[in-house]
Amino acid sequence: MSVREKVAALVAAACDHTIGADDVLAHGDSLASLGVGSLAYLRLIDSLESEYDVRIDLDADVTFLESLDAMVEQLARLGVRETGT
């Protein structure tokens, strides 16, 4: 599973699967426009930190949380790489 696919699955889980991972993957606009709310964003941040052993500074610019591709790009900047599995 690619990082992009895994992050989409984490978004879906953070939303209690009211939004599917396929919807997240197909949607190019902001996650908020899909219905991702503030509690889901907090769950997502926890999941990203746990899954990828990264730290997301909530006092810094977190606009990367607005879209799937921006999150994947930020994770790459934090050292997350595709594993090939």
Side-chain angles (χ1 to χ4, degrees):
M1 181 180 291
S2 72
V3 171
R4 190 171 190 275
E5 292 168 326
K6 181 63 180 178
V7 172
L10 292 174
V11 171
C15 297
D16 293 326
H17 299 280
T18 58
I19 300 168
D22 290 338
D23 296 325
V24 176
L25 287 166
H27 194 70
D29 294 330
S30 75
L31 294 177
S33 69
L34 272 176
V36 177
S38 57
L39 179 57
Y41 275 113
L42 292 174
R43 290 177 183 164
L44 176 59
I45 291 165
D46 285 342
S47 296
L48 292 170
E49 290 180 333
S50 295
E51 179 70 27
Y52 294 109
D53 194 27
V54 296
R55 173 82 172 100
I56 297 173
D57 183 1
L58 296 178
D59 292 326
D61 179 12
V62 291
T63 56
F64 66 88
L65 292 168
E66 293 176 2
S67 75
L68 174 63
D69 290 332
M71 276 189 276
V72 172
E73 289 170 11
Q74 178 66 13
L75 289 170
R77 283 190 289 275
L78 294 173
V80 174
R81 302 286 178 251
E82 297 290 340
T83 60
T85 57

